[in-house]
Amino acid sequence: MGTIAVRLIIVGIVQGVGFRPFIHRAAIKAGVNGYVRNVGGSEVEVFAEGDEAKVARFLRAIMTEHPPPAVIEEVEVISEGPRGIEGFRILKSEARSLRESMIPPDIAICSECLREVLNPRDRRYGYAFNSCAWCGPRFSMMYRVPYDRENTSMAKYRLCHNCVKEYRDVGNVRRYHAQGISCPKDGPKLWITDRLGKRVETSDPIKEAARLIDEGYIVAVKGLGGYHLAALASDDDVVAKLRRRKRRPQKPFAIMALDVGVAGKLVYIDELAKEILNSPQRPIVLLPKRGDSPVSRLVSPGLDVEGVFTPYTALHYLLLRNVRDGFLIMTSGNAYGKPMCINEECAYKLLSGIADYFLVHDREIVNRVDDSVVRFTDGEVVMLRRARGYAPAWIRVKAGFQRPVIAFGAELQSAGAVAFNDKVILTQFIGDAEDLDILEDLDRYIKFLVRTYRIDIKDSVLVVDKHPHYTSRRLASTYSRVYGSRVVEVQHHYAHVLSVMADRGLIGDVVMGIAIDGVGYGDDGAIWGGEVILVRGDLSYERVGHLEYQPLVGGDASVTYPTRFLTSVLSKFLSDGEVFKAVRSLGLVKSLPRGELELKYVVSAVRRGYYVSTSSIGRVLDAVSSLLKVCTYRSYDGEPAMKLEAYSRGGAELDSIDVKVRSLGGEYVVETTAFIDDVLQHVLGGYDGRSIALTAQIRLGEALAHVVAKHVRGLRSFSGVVVLGGGAAVNTYIVRGVRRVLSGEGIEVLLPRRVPPNDGGVALGQAVATITGIDSL
Ligand SMILES: [Zn+2]
Ligand SMILES: [Zn+2]
């Protein structure tokens, strides 16, 4: 048999996951000569020569035996002439791969590492920082690319004799050439202190922390991407104390459970949910609560889902194993409205009023990474917060960026982005940019991407939301002032639609988008939020329909107190006296902070035209939520709408509630005034509240879908695809309504997969909006 040679270009998640060492090992095992090296951010080049059977065995091993976190997307096999190479080597990375090196996201502890931690005979028994080539922190501990130990906060820990041996042993599957490894002898150390930073004497800090938690104390735990606050989830008094100290009356807390078995006692878990809970990304998953769940009702009041996740480091696993319940509240360790703490300076300053004790380690958290959150919408997985495990993996788009882009996102739940060539890299979830500390973080993580990918800010296009008051715009103005780069405004809902299009590979197609959320500054100066938008092949857009404009009196107050917004809608079709009578008979006067006075003020403001107009679906859902008394005070973003969705469970659809669409001046308008009147009549008529809630959401979805269906009739070159974006696009009943109408028309309805449909994904759309000349593709 003759000697043959092949060159392979392997594309996928192949860096930071032990891929090159694996190739090396496979080559030795198969008996082929050659080399392996990184040649691009997500590409590895392999050259192998040997006799035919050996090369074939090598290729088979690559496909079937690669490390678990590695994902092979494509393999290009090129036949070449043998070069007479002796042995097999890992070559230095090519220079061009440094510029385009993907920053590997953090990976949850693998089952092999966990097995070692739990094995009394293993030298890593009970070791909280165990990791290998397949798992462990990546982005959260990286100062710079590439992912080599000296570029991470593991640099200061010198490997002991045994670890060096493992690192150099090509036969060691998980530790040969693994950058982040350590052991109890040479790795990070743990200790525990009181709230003043005074050490608590103990031989086992994790067991001690578990004991304190079981006694009802709140313990701040330094983890992988930041601090958590850990507390018993089964004890009402403890949860109430945490809520008081954190000044967080209603917003749900996440629960970490030891494993899927324990989690299954709290929530219903199907096969898909189980897979996500055990995935290397290990996000928080919102799942339906069990009726017999031992979790305190105060953990997620008014919601039918619980946010559950499982340990993603040995530290978390050991803590959970030692607490009596096997599950705990693990909520972000941040002060109200502030970013999660990543160092002791922040923790002792901001969390000492919340936590009683601190479980601390000495490994530096370089980049803050919050826990990611996903949910199910109409049976499909949707991302709500993109951070640990997902960020900052890049997203390839079907077109090229002529110039580098820096996108600053929106305002709430924000993330920024940079883009170059055919890639968009979103920062991890940053938070609500209206807070200055969070704005600082946005700056910091955008700059991290700018440095990593050597983006020339001077030459870049800076993209901001059109909203004149968004704080993130200030950051863009600063960049523009310092570097002289151009700032471009992109309309919020158009960006939402583009974001989903980019995620689903639809750039260049004629697509309809439904963008629904709470607030977005419109092209006409009104507050948009219930939009149907057509995007053409050249990325130009047209607003083809929207929810009817409603008066919003006094902006923020009407968002915080949904009854105010309800009152202004009622004023449109009822006389003053009738509005008062209706709000009184619904028992809603007391839900306005200034009662009757406020009621009269809102009606008179509407009469005199003192309001801004809004087509926001969020406000309409708020009004329904208030009508049904599901939520009349909003303590966190989206609360009335989320509680309305939860409340609908078990309701039946009512044929008598309807929403009409009319054509007005070339646009379609969904008539929400008549709709609210309809809902009001059903509430006063004593219909079942859950059924009213359920039907109202389905009908809004159907109405938006009718706008799409009407517009695409006769629309040339329509791709047959509708994308759904915006914070309200995660609402199961709205999506169900949209799908029901459009599936009858043979139109496909798509949600984003890799980015959140909410404002956390807007920066992707903002970046894509700068692409021009696309019809030449
Ligand atoms: Zn591992
Ligand atoms: Zn060691």
Side-chain angles (χ1 to χ4, degrees):
M1 226 184 293
T3 300
I4 63 160
V6 290
R7 200 157 61 87
L8 314 172
I9 303 292
I10 304 172
V11 182
I13 300 175
V14 287
Q15 290 185 17
V17 291
F19 198 77
R20 284 175 301 162
F22 154 72
I23 293 287
H24 190 184
R25 213 162 31 245
I28 290 169
K29 214 167 132 190
V32 298
N33 297 326
Y35 63 83
V36 55
R37 63 175 167 182
N38 291 337
V39 289
S42 55
E43 288 167 34
V44 163
E45 181 193 45
V46 180
F47 183 86
E49 61 183 55
D51 71 52
E52 226 176 308
K54 286 178 177 171
V55 171
R57 195 186 318 149
F58 176 59
L59 294 183
R60 222 170 21 247
I62 291 177
M63 296 316 291
T64 55
E65 293 165 22
H66 59 77
V71 178
I72 296 180
E73 282 170 1
E74 41 183 278
V75 182
E76 193 185 345
V77 184
I78 308 148
S79 287
E80 296 204 349
R83 301 180 195 172
I85 296 176
E86 292 283 320
F88 198 94
R89 285 188 305 151
I90 299 180
L91 299 186
K92 267 188 101 68
S93 303
E94 279 227 316
R96 119 179 127 89
S97 75
L98 292 179
R99 186 185 177 213
E100 296 204 2
S101 195
M102 187 191 273
I103 305 164
D106 300 290
I107 310 169
I109 184 166
C110 72
S111 53
E112 296 301 313
C113 281
L114 192 57
R115 215 191 314 272
E116 291 167 349
V117 171
L118 299 177
N119 177 4
R121 285 180 307 278
D122 194 282
R123 70 186 186 94
R124 290 186 173 88
Y125 177 60
Y127 181 48
F129 301 92
N130 198 17
S131 76
C132 70
W134 297 352
C135 76
R138 298 286 187 271
F139 170 54
S140 64
M141 65 173 189
M142 286 173 70
Y143 298 112
R144 63 193 80 85
V145 290
Y147 171 65
D148 286 333
R149 192 176 182 93
E150 71 257 28
N151 293 335
T152 73
S153 58
M154 286 304 288
K156 69 174 180 183
Y157 304 99
R158 276 199 56 190
L159 291 182
C160 72
H161 171 70
N162 284 328
C163 285
V164 168
K165 238 170 47 193
E166 293 170 340
Y167 183 84
R168 289 189 183 149
D169 174 11
V170 66
N172 190 315
V173 175
R174 287 162 41 245
R175 294 217 165 81
Y176 172 58
H177 249 268
Q179 300 300 312
I181 61 169
S182 61
C183 75
K185 243 174 105 179
D186 57 27
K189 299 279 178 288
L190 269 173
W191 64 90
I192 190 161
T193 81
D194 66 10
R195 68 170 77 201
L196 300 172
K198 192 170 159 289
R199 292 235 188 174
V200 174
E201 279 313 313
T202 170
S203 58
D204 191 334
I206 294 182
K207 269 199 184 131
E208 178 65 9
R211 195 185 62 76
L212 290 164
I213 291 168
D214 277 345
E215 277 181 25
Y217 291 108
I218 297 167
V219 178
V221 178
K222 186 180 185 184
L224 177 146
Y227 269 85
H228 280 113
L229 291 162
L232 284 181
S234 55
D235 185 318
D236 286 351
D237 293 338
V238 171
V239 185
K241 178 170 72 183
L242 178 60
R243 289 211 171 277
R244 228 173 21 248
R245 291 186 186 174
K246 221 178 172 229
R247 291 202 290 140
R248 182 158 148 168
Q250 293 281 314
K251 199 175 176 187
F253 292 128
I255 293 183
M256 187 181 274
L258 180 66
D259 51 34
V260 171
V262 174
K265 294 178 182 143
L266 321 180
V267 291
Y268 292 102
I269 301 172
D270 62 13
E271 276 309 307
L272 179 57
K274 185 174 163 184
E275 203 177 291
I276 300 168
L277 284 169
N278 284 329
S279 69
Q281 291 80 20
R282 226 156 282 191
I284 295 168
V285 188
L286 307 191
L287 291 165
K289 292 178 187 172
R290 293 186 70 106
D292 56 354
S293 165
V295 173
S296 162
R297 296 273 149 208
L298 301 178
V299 168
S300 51
L303 300 179
D304 64 337
V305 288
E306 206 85 80
V308 176
F309 59 151
T310 57
Y312 50 88
T313 67
L315 168 61
H316 294 131
Y317 192 90
L318 293 167
L319 181 67
L320 266 294
R321 210 163 97 106
N322 282 291
V323 291
R324 66 163 201 229
D325 288 341
F327 60 89
L328 285 178
I329 289 177
M330 287 289 266
T331 187
S332 295
N334 64 326
Y336 181 77
K338 297 286 175 193
M340 176 173 64
C341 290
I342 59 172
N343 56 41
E344 288 62 71
E345 190 197 340
C346 171
Y348 287 110
K349 196 168 107 197
L350 296 183
L351 305 180
S352 59
I354 305 173
D356 302 294
Y357 292 94
F358 290 72
L359 180 61
V360 185
H361 61 72
D362 61 5
R363 185 178 67 210
E364 184 190 353
I365 297 172
V366 179
N367 296 307
R368 176 162 69 86
V369 196
D370 289 78
D371 296 314
S372 295
V373 185
V374 306
R375 64 163 281 171
F376 286 87
T377 292
D378 198 27
E380 210 173 308
V381 186
V382 181
M383 199 173 273
L384 293 180
R385 186 202 281 166
R386 185 177 181 272
R388 179 180 47 76
Y390 301 99
W394 59 43
I395 290 159
R396 279 194 151 132
V397 296
K398 255 171 58 182
F401 292 92
Q402 287 89 351
R403 305 176 72 171
V405 184
I406 301 172
F408 292 81
E411 182 86 334
L412 300 178
Q413 307 168 17
S414 205
V418 302
F420 59 93
N421 297 348
D422 64 344
K423 299 179 184 72
V424 182
I425 301 108
L426 283 152
T427 66
Q428 72 276 39
F429 162 87
I430 300 288
D432 301 343
E434 56 188 1
D435 179 87
L436 286 181
D437 290 343
I438 290 189
L439 194 67
E440 236 169 65
D441 261 21
L442 183 64
D443 182 28
R444 185 170 161 211
Y445 293 116
I446 286 178
K447 291 256 174 71
F448 180 81
L449 297 178
V450 162
R451 269 198 318 275
T452 300
Y453 295 107
R454 299 178 197 174
I455 303 233
D456 180 3
I457 303 183
K458 281 198 300 296
D459 186 44
S460 301
V461 183
L462 310 177
V463 190
V464 296
D465 192 281
K466 212 165 190 168
H467 200 300
H469 303 309
Y470 276 0
T471 319
S472 56
R473 288 178 64 125
R474 275 199 248 160
L475 194 57
S477 305
T478 310
Y479 282 37
S480 172
R481 224 174 23 248
V482 174
Y483 300 96
S485 22
R486 186 163 59 100
V487 179
V488 175
E489 291 180 342
V490 175
Q491 202 280 323
H492 189 81
H493 301 94
Y494 169 50
H496 269 310
V497 174
L498 287 182
S499 170
V500 189
M501 286 174 64
D503 180 84
R504 302 300 301 249
L506 296 166
I507 300 299
D509 294 347
V510 179
V511 171
M512 293 290 291
I514 296 177
I516 44 179
D517 59 8
V519 189
Y521 194 82
D523 287 330
D524 59 359
I527 301 297
W528 291 9
E531 312 305 312
V532 179
I533 290 167
L534 164 73
V535 176
R536 304 189 189 89
D538 63 357
L539 295 186
S540 65
Y541 72 104
E542 183 190 342
R543 184 196 201 196
V544 303
H546 55 88
L547 298 194
E548 180 183 345
Y549 279 138
Q550 296 293 355
L552 187 70
V553 176
D556 285 352
S558 288
V559 176
T560 309
Y561 300 99
T563 306
R564 276 178 69 118
F565 181 74
L566 171 67
T567 303
S568 39
V569 180
L570 296 180
S571 316
K572 286 181 70 183
F573 62 91
L574 297 176
S575 70
D576 292 16
E578 285 168 335
V579 176
F580 303 148
K581 199 176 142 213
V583 177
R584 278 177 205 137
S585 70
L586 290 164
L588 287 171
V589 178
K590 58 179 185 300
S591 71
L592 296 165
R594 286 173 293 133
E596 290 276 345
L597 217 65
E598 192 163 356
L599 185 61
K600 287 179 179 144
Y601 165 76
V602 171
V603 176
S604 109
V606 173
R607 301 280 181 248
R608 286 177 297 156
Y610 293 163
Y611 58 78
V612 289
S613 293
T614 182
S615 55
S616 160
I617 201 167
R619 297 296 79 76
V620 176
L621 295 170
D622 286 359
V624 175
S625 197
S626 160
L627 265 171
L628 291 165
K629 288 199 202 160
V630 169
C631 180
T632 56
Y633 169 69
R634 185 179 95 141
S635 71
Y636 61 90
D637 193 28
E639 180 178 357
M642 279 167 65
K643 288 189 169 168
L644 186 68
E645 189 184 2
Y647 175 73
S648 310
R649 189 146 103 169
E653 214 171 318
L654 302 168
D655 288 335
S656 46
I657 295 179
D658 197 16
V659 194
K660 292 199 169 53
V661 174
R662 88 186 118 98
S663 174
L664 184 78
E667 284 180 339
Y668 295 102
V669 175
V670 176
E671 301 190 306
T672 50
T673 306
F675 168 68
I676 291 292
D677 188 11
D678 216 1
V679 173
L680 172 68
Q681 297 315 319
H682 281 76
V683 174
L684 295 175
Y687 284 80
D688 170 49
R690 292 180 191 279
S691 301
I692 296 172
L694 173 94
T695 311
Q697 293 161 90
I698 292 179
R699 291 292 178 273
L700 286 169
E702 288 177 342
L704 289 161
H706 280 304
V707 173
V708 172
K710 283 174 196 282
H711 190 78
V712 299
R713 263 173 221 142
L715 182 68
R716 278 178 44 220
S717 64
F718 175 54
S719 62
V721 174
V722 172
V723 298
L724 280 174
V730 300
N731 181 301
T732 283
Y733 305 109
I734 293 176
V735 172
R736 200 171 284 172
V738 171
R739 286 220 166 104
R740 184 191 288 173
V741 170
L742 294 179
S743 66
E745 306 271 332
I747 295 170
E748 201 180 354
V749 178
L750 299 181
L751 281 155
R753 285 196 173 141
R754 291 168 294 172
V755 296
N758 60 37
D759 286 2
V762 146
L764 171 60
Q766 289 179 337
V768 168
T770 66
I771 297 175
T772 54
I774 231 177
D775 39 8
S776 64
L777 272 180

PDB file of all heavy atoms in Angstrom, residues 123-124 158-164 166 181-187, ligand 2:
ATOM      1  N   ARG A 123      -6.209  12.413  43.493  1.00  0.00           N
ATOM      2  CA  ARG A 123      -5.491  13.523  44.132  1.00  0.00           C
ATOM      3  C   ARG A 123      -6.260  14.852  44.026  1.00  0.00           C
ATOM      4  O   ARG A 123      -5.907  15.837  44.656  1.00  0.00           O
ATOM      5  CB  ARG A 123      -4.074  13.649  43.585  1.00  0.00           C
ATOM      6  CG  ARG A 123      -3.951  14.148  42.154  1.00  0.00           C
ATOM      7  CD  ARG A 123      -2.499  14.076  41.716  1.00  0.00           C
ATOM      8  NE  ARG A 123      -2.319  14.682  40.412  1.00  0.00           N
ATOM      9  CZ  ARG A 123      -1.952  15.955  40.244  1.00  0.00           C
ATOM     10  NH1 ARG A 123      -1.697  16.711  41.280  1.00  0.00           N
ATOM     11  NH2 ARG A 123      -1.831  16.449  39.027  1.00  0.00           N
ATOM     12  N   ARG A 124      -7.296  14.881  43.219  1.00  0.00           N
ATOM     13  CA  ARG A 124      -8.119  16.091  43.133  1.00  0.00           C
ATOM     14  C   ARG A 124      -9.450  15.935  43.879  1.00  0.00           C
ATOM     15  O   ARG A 124     -10.394  16.676  43.651  1.00  0.00           O
ATOM     16  CB  ARG A 124      -8.355  16.452  41.666  1.00  0.00           C
ATOM     17  CG  ARG A 124      -7.088  16.945  40.964  1.00  0.00           C
ATOM     18  CD  ARG A 124      -7.396  17.443  39.559  1.00  0.00           C
ATOM     19  NE  ARG A 124      -6.229  18.067  38.929  1.00  0.00           N
ATOM     20  CZ  ARG A 124      -5.318  17.401  38.228  1.00  0.00           C
ATOM     21  NH1 ARG A 124      -5.427  16.097  38.079  1.00  0.00           N
ATOM     22  NH2 ARG A 124      -4.310  18.052  37.682  1.00  0.00           N
ATOM     23  N   ARG A 158       1.821  28.320  39.594  1.00  0.00           N
ATOM     24  CA  ARG A 158       2.818  27.476  38.913  1.00  0.00           C
ATOM     25  C   ARG A 158       2.469  26.011  39.092  1.00  0.00           C
ATOM     26  O   ARG A 158       2.281  25.538  40.206  1.00  0.00           O
ATOM     27  CB  ARG A 158       4.207  27.775  39.449  1.00  0.00           C
ATOM     28  CG  ARG A 158       4.815  28.989  38.746  1.00  0.00           C
ATOM     29  CD  ARG A 158       6.317  29.026  38.917  1.00  0.00           C
ATOM     30  NE  ARG A 158       6.986  27.816  38.446  1.00  0.00           N
ATOM     31  CZ  ARG A 158       8.269  27.577  38.684  1.00  0.00           C
ATOM     32  NH1 ARG A 158       8.975  28.437  39.394  1.00  0.00           N
ATOM     33  NH2 ARG A 158       8.832  26.475  38.225  1.00  0.00           N
ATOM     34  N   LEU A 159       2.429  25.293  37.996  1.00  0.00           N
ATOM     35  CA  LEU A 159       2.055  23.878  38.049  1.00  0.00           C
ATOM     36  C   LEU A 159       3.041  23.073  38.889  1.00  0.00           C
ATOM     37  O   LEU A 159       4.253  23.254  38.777  1.00  0.00           O
ATOM     38  CB  LEU A 159       2.020  23.286  36.638  1.00  0.00           C
ATOM     39  CG  LEU A 159       0.903  23.772  35.711  1.00  0.00           C
ATOM     40  CD1 LEU A 159       0.993  23.057  34.369  1.00  0.00           C
ATOM     41  CD2 LEU A 159      -0.461  23.539  36.326  1.00  0.00           C
ATOM     42  N   CYS A 160       2.496  22.185  39.705  1.00  0.00           N
ATOM     43  CA  CYS A 160       3.345  21.309  40.509  1.00  0.00           C
ATOM     44  C   CYS A 160       3.909  20.195  39.615  1.00  0.00           C
ATOM     45  O   CYS A 160       3.518  20.041  38.458  1.00  0.00           O
ATOM     46  CB  CYS A 160       2.553  20.721  41.673  1.00  0.00           C
ATOM     47  SG  CYS A 160       1.359  19.475  41.145  1.00  0.00           S
ATOM     48  N   HIS A 161       4.786  19.412  40.197  1.00  0.00           N
ATOM     49  CA  HIS A 161       5.460  18.338  39.484  1.00  0.00           C
ATOM     50  C   HIS A 161       4.462  17.386  38.785  1.00  0.00           C
ATOM     51  O   HIS A 161       4.589  17.067  37.601  1.00  0.00           O
ATOM     52  CB  HIS A 161       6.330  17.584  40.495  1.00  0.00           C
ATOM     53  CG  HIS A 161       6.910  16.334  39.969  1.00  0.00           C
ATOM     54  ND1 HIS A 161       7.904  16.332  39.013  1.00  0.00           N
ATOM     55  CD2 HIS A 161       6.619  15.038  40.229  1.00  0.00           C
ATOM     56  CE1 HIS A 161       8.202  15.101  38.719  1.00  0.00           C
ATOM     57  NE2 HIS A 161       7.448  14.288  39.429  1.00  0.00           N
ATOM     58  N   ASN A 162       3.431  16.978  39.535  1.00  0.00           N
ATOM     59  CA  ASN A 162       2.457  16.035  38.971  1.00  0.00           C
ATOM     60  C   ASN A 162       1.649  16.648  37.833  1.00  0.00           C
ATOM     61  O   ASN A 162       1.348  15.984  36.842  1.00  0.00           O
ATOM     62  CB  ASN A 162       1.490  15.549  40.059  1.00  0.00           C
ATOM     63  CG  ASN A 162       2.159  14.532  40.967  1.00  0.00           C
ATOM     64  OD1 ASN A 162       3.020  13.781  40.517  1.00  0.00           O
ATOM     65  ND2 ASN A 162       1.775  14.525  42.231  1.00  0.00           N
ATOM     66  N   CYS A 163       1.279  17.922  37.986  1.00  0.00           N
ATOM     67  CA  CYS A 163       0.506  18.592  36.936  1.00  0.00           C
ATOM     68  C   CYS A 163       1.360  18.761  35.674  1.00  0.00           C
ATOM     69  O   CYS A 163       0.873  18.599  34.559  1.00  0.00           O
ATOM     70  CB  CYS A 163      -0.014  19.939  37.416  1.00  0.00           C
ATOM     71  SG  CYS A 163      -1.408  19.802  38.558  1.00  0.00           S
ATOM     72  N   VAL A 164       2.644  19.098  35.868  1.00  0.00           N
ATOM     73  CA  VAL A 164       3.540  19.246  34.712  1.00  0.00           C
ATOM     74  C   VAL A 164       3.626  17.938  33.948  1.00  0.00           C
ATOM     75  O   VAL A 164       3.567  17.913  32.711  1.00  0.00           O
ATOM     76  CB  VAL A 164       4.951  19.712  35.164  1.00  0.00           C
ATOM     77  CG1 VAL A 164       5.956  19.579  34.024  1.00  0.00           C
ATOM     78  CG2 VAL A 164       4.899  21.148  35.661  1.00  0.00           C
ATOM     79  N   GLU A 166       1.401  15.600  33.772  1.00  0.00           N
ATOM     80  CA  GLU A 166       0.159  15.400  33.006  1.00  0.00           C
ATOM     81  C   GLU A 166       0.132  16.291  31.767  1.00  0.00           C
ATOM     82  O   GLU A 166      -0.285  15.874  30.684  1.00  0.00           O
ATOM     83  CB  GLU A 166      -1.062  15.736  33.877  1.00  0.00           C
ATOM     84  CG  GLU A 166      -1.283  14.783  35.027  1.00  0.00           C
ATOM     85  CD  GLU A 166      -2.350  15.285  35.997  1.00  0.00           C
ATOM     86  OE1 GLU A 166      -2.641  16.493  36.014  1.00  0.00           O
ATOM     87  OE2 GLU A 166      -2.887  14.451  36.729  1.00  0.00           O
ATOM     88  N   ILE A 181      -5.257  23.932  33.756  1.00  0.00           N
ATOM     89  CA  ILE A 181      -5.317  22.900  34.800  1.00  0.00           C
ATOM     90  C   ILE A 181      -4.616  23.322  36.096  1.00  0.00           C
ATOM     91  O   ILE A 181      -3.773  24.204  36.115  1.00  0.00           O
ATOM     92  CB  ILE A 181      -4.725  21.552  34.320  1.00  0.00           C
ATOM     93  CG1 ILE A 181      -3.245  21.725  33.946  1.00  0.00           C
ATOM     94  CG2 ILE A 181      -5.514  21.011  33.144  1.00  0.00           C
ATOM     95  CD1 ILE A 181      -2.536  20.391  33.725  1.00  0.00           C
ATOM     96  N   SER A 182      -4.988  22.654  37.181  1.00  0.00           N
ATOM     97  CA  SER A 182      -4.369  22.881  38.483  1.00  0.00           C
ATOM     98  C   SER A 182      -4.786  21.741  39.395  1.00  0.00           C
ATOM     99  O   SER A 182      -5.516  20.840  38.968  1.00  0.00           O
ATOM    100  CB  SER A 182      -4.825  24.215  39.082  1.00  0.00           C
ATOM    101  OG  SER A 182      -6.232  24.210  39.266  1.00  0.00           O
ATOM    102  N   CYS A 183      -4.284  21.770  40.628  1.00  0.00           N
ATOM    103  CA  CYS A 183      -4.645  20.744  41.601  1.00  0.00           C
ATOM    104  C   CYS A 183      -4.628  21.380  42.992  1.00  0.00           C
ATOM    105  O   CYS A 183      -4.242  22.542  43.126  1.00  0.00           O
ATOM    106  CB  CYS A 183      -3.675  19.564  41.495  1.00  0.00           C
ATOM    107  SG  CYS A 183      -2.062  19.917  42.219  1.00  0.00           S
ATOM    108  N   PRO A 184      -5.033  20.642  44.021  1.00  0.00           N
ATOM    109  CA  PRO A 184      -5.094  21.252  45.364  1.00  0.00           C
ATOM    110  C   PRO A 184      -3.741  21.800  45.817  1.00  0.00           C
ATOM    111  O   PRO A 184      -3.688  22.713  46.616  1.00  0.00           O
ATOM    112  CB  PRO A 184      -5.528  20.084  46.261  1.00  0.00           C
ATOM    113  CG  PRO A 184      -6.156  19.088  45.353  1.00  0.00           C
ATOM    114  CD  PRO A 184      -5.504  19.250  44.024  1.00  0.00           C
ATOM    115  N   LYS A 185      -2.646  21.252  45.275  1.00  0.00           N
ATOM    116  CA  LYS A 185      -1.329  21.679  45.719  1.00  0.00           C
ATOM    117  C   LYS A 185      -0.936  23.038  45.140  1.00  0.00           C
ATOM    118  O   LYS A 185      -0.271  23.832  45.795  1.00  0.00           O
ATOM    119  CB  LYS A 185      -0.281  20.630  45.278  1.00  0.00           C
ATOM    120  CG  LYS A 185       0.431  19.963  46.444  1.00  0.00           C
ATOM    121  CD  LYS A 185       1.315  18.858  45.954  1.00  0.00           C
ATOM    122  CE  LYS A 185       2.772  19.288  46.007  1.00  0.00           C
ATOM    123  NZ  LYS A 185       3.639  18.170  45.548  1.00  0.00           N
ATOM    124  N   ASP A 186      -1.334  23.260  43.871  1.00  0.00           N
ATOM    125  CA  ASP A 186      -0.810  24.459  43.203  1.00  0.00           C
ATOM    126  C   ASP A 186      -1.888  25.456  42.748  1.00  0.00           C
ATOM    127  O   ASP A 186      -1.571  26.519  42.250  1.00  0.00           O
ATOM    128  CB  ASP A 186       0.043  24.033  41.992  1.00  0.00           C
ATOM    129  CG  ASP A 186      -0.746  23.167  41.018  1.00  0.00           C
ATOM    130  OD1 ASP A 186      -1.977  23.299  40.959  1.00  0.00           O
ATOM    131  OD2 ASP A 186      -0.125  22.336  40.323  1.00  0.00           O
ATOM    132  N   GLY A 187      -3.156  25.105  42.913  1.00  0.00           N
ATOM    133  CA  GLY A 187      -4.213  25.944  42.348  1.00  0.00           C
ATOM    134  C   GLY A 187      -4.747  26.999  43.294  1.00  0.00           C
ATOM    135  O   GLY A 187      -4.190  27.220  44.370  1.00  0.00           O
TER     136      GLY A 187
HETATM  137 ZN    ZN B   2      -0.703  20.391  40.502  1.00  0.00          ZN
END
